[in-house]
Amino acid sequence: GNSVTQMEGPVTLSEEAFLTINCTYTATGYPSLFWYVQYPGEGLQLLLKATKADDKGSNKGFEATYRKETTSFHLEKGSVQVSDSAVYFCALYSGAGSYQLTFGKGTKLSVIP
Amino acid sequence: DAGITQSPRYKITETGRQVTLMCHQTWSHSYMFWYRQDLGHGLRLIYYSAAADITDKGEVPDGYVVSRSKTENFPLTLESATRSQTSVYFCASSLSREPEQFFGPGTRLTVL
């Protein structure tokens, strides 16, 4: 079946540090890949997505590249801010008819001034 | 544009009681989903619905019941709440043929 594996958290960084959150997946076919962000006390919001191999999704300074050869979709940001403190979820959509997403367990990021 | 709303936002109940969590969306999205979020498990799908009167089980459906008589509403009922159902519940929706899901703000349920 489909699965998503994210790096264990929590991750604590100083402001302006470089961020990488690793995500690897297992899926049949050609999945679409997503990063969602959950700020404290809120629901999940789509951060970025990529629908085919070598696509790069980007938003708010975050980037992730769909690497089919390594089945990965790592999230990166060059300079994090305190406001980026949140839980980040990697997810995939396998293309099956039910439009279900498979989520990773989430990585909590804390950015300290 | 209200989007997707959930009510109540917080609920405390006792073991054995019936509880209904409400979800309402204003976009006329075809698909709706219920997830529970627990530490160490991430989000797990409870039930989903492809359209009014069409529902199907997800990964963890036991102890839950759903209905969808109208496109915009997708209530989740715990028929006899148990402590293991203490969790944060999220409703989500998506357009037909589009995998991107839009999430509500969540309901924090505590079962004593």
Side-chain angles (χ1 to χ4, degrees), chain A:
Chain A
N2 301 322
S3 67
V4 175
T5 303
Q6 289 181 234
M7 62 186 290
E8 296 285 329
V11 174
T12 302
L13 294 173
S14 297
E15 207 165 20
E16 300 184 2
F18 184 86
L19 168 71
T20 300
I21 300 178
N22 290 337
C23 171
T24 58
Y25 67 89
T26 301
T28 54
Y30 302 93
S32 295
L33 300 172
F34 304 83
W35 276 102
Y36 279 81
V37 58
Q38 183 183 28
Y39 297 105
E42 298 183 9
L44 280 70
Q45 305 172 24
L46 180 68
L47 180 60
L48 53 84
K49 65 181 179 182
T51 58
K52 60 183 187 296
D54 299 324
D55 268 2
K56 178 185 283 188
S58 61
N59 186 23
K60 299 182 180 179
F62 291 89
E63 293 183 339
T65 301
Y66 187 161
R67 302 284 188 201
K68 189 164 178 62
E69 63 276 14
T70 54
T71 61
S72 65
F73 192 55
H74 304 322
L75 182 68
E76 296 182 336
K77 187 176 185 183
S79 176
V80 294
Q81 305 300 312
V82 172
S83 57
D84 294 326
S85 298
V87 181
Y88 293 82
F89 292 90
C90 186
L92 73 82
Y93 166 63
S94 67
S98 66
Y99 296 97
Q100 294 182 53
L101 293 177
T102 300
F103 286 89
K105 293 185 178 180
T107 302
K108 183 176 181 179
L109 170 66
S110 297
V111 181
I112 54 176

Side-chain angles (χ1 to χ4, degrees), chain B residues 67-89:
Chain B
S67 62
R68 194 166 175 207
S69 57
K70 294 183 178 181
T71 300
E72 61 267 29
N73 296 323
F74 191 39
L76 176 73
T77 297
L78 289 66
E79 293 189 303
S80 179
T82 65
R83 288 200 182 96
S84 65
Q85 292 177 310
T86 292
S87 186
V88 181
Y89 291 86

